[in-house]
Amino acid sequence: MNASITIHRATADDAQEVAVMVGELLAEIMNAIGVKAFNFDLDETTARLKDFLNNEKYFVFVARSGNLNSAGFIALYESYALYAEGAFGTIPELYVRPTYRANKFGLHLVSQAKSFGVSRGWTRLEVTTPPLPQFDRTLAFYEREGFAISGGRKLKVDL
C-alpha cells in the first residue's frame, strides 16, 4: 500500500479517535510482553485526553492516509530540566496501525514532533522504550530517526 499522508494537530474533537488508538497500542504492548500492564477504559481515556488537549498539557498529532482513515498518532508533552538546559519534549506514545507501518507514517509523525519541538524552543526530544527483545524494532526505528541511547532506566512509583 502506498498512501498519501496528512498530519494535523489533534483537538478535543479527535479525542475519541485517538483514545481508540491508545487502546490498540496498549493491547499490542500487553500482548508482546504477556502481562496485563495497563488498565484501559475508552471513556476515561477520551475524557482525560480532552482535558489534556484543552489545557495544552499534551500535544497530539494524527496521521491520516489518503482516504482520511486515521493511521496513527504521536503524543508529546513539555518538561523542564537543568540537565536538558531548559524546556524539552517527551514522547509518551507513538502508534501506527499495523497496516500502515511500512508506509513511513512513523517517520512523518516523528518529523512533525521534531518540527513542533523546534517551534516551542525545546532543546531535545526524549522517548523511552522497554529494554526487552520484543521492542528491538522500536529501538531500531528511533535510532534510525536520530535518537541515541542516553543511559539510565525508567523507574516509577505509584502515588
Side-chain angles (χ1 to χ4, degrees):
M1 175 191 346
N2 226 348
S4 63
I5 300 168
T6 59
I7 296 176
H8 77 277
R9 184 167 164 186
T11 67
D13 292 340
D14 300 302
Q16 182 159 356
E17 179 180 36
V18 172
V20 167
M21 289 189 283
V22 169
E24 293 170 13
L25 168 64
L26 299 179
E28 189 173 315
I29 291 169
M30 291 186 291
N31 185 50
I33 63 174
V35 175
K36 187 178 183 324
F38 305 102
N39 295 312
F40 176 76
D41 179 279
L42 179 60
D43 292 335
E44 289 177 10
T45 301
T46 301
R48 188 176 305 116
L49 181 54
K50 282 181 180 180
D51 176 58
F52 287 177
L53 291 171
N54 285 333
N55 290 301
E56 293 202 340
K57 293 179 182 178
Y58 213 64
F59 309 96
V60 176
F61 293 90
V62 177
R64 296 190 185 285
S65 66
N67 60 8
L68 300 181
N69 288 337
S70 56
F73 75 97
I74 191 166
L76 305 157
Y77 63 86
E78 189 166 272
S79 299
Y80 306 88
L82 299 175
Y83 75 84
E85 301 174 1
F88 66 98
T90 299
I91 301 171
E93 291 111 5
L94 167 61
Y95 178 69
V96 175
R97 288 184 158 144
T99 56
Y100 297 100
R101 289 186 184 161
N103 294 302
K104 301 190 179 193
F105 279 84
L107 171 102
H108 287 281
L109 286 164
V110 169
S111 227
Q112 178 67 48
K114 289 176 180 177
S115 294
F116 182 72
V118 167
S119 78
R120 303 262 317 168
W122 294 348
T123 60
R124 67 203 293 161
L125 278 178
E126 294 185 354
V127 66
T128 301
T129 63
L132 300 170
Q134 298 93 317
F135 299 97
D136 284 349
R137 287 183 58 208
T138 303
L139 177 62
F141 166 79
Y142 283 115
E143 289 179 325
R144 280 192 311 273
E145 296 311 309
F147 288 79
I149 295 173
S150 60
R153 294 183 178 176
K154 184 176 180 178
L155 305 170
K156 72 175 184 177
V157 64
D158 291 334
L159 302 177

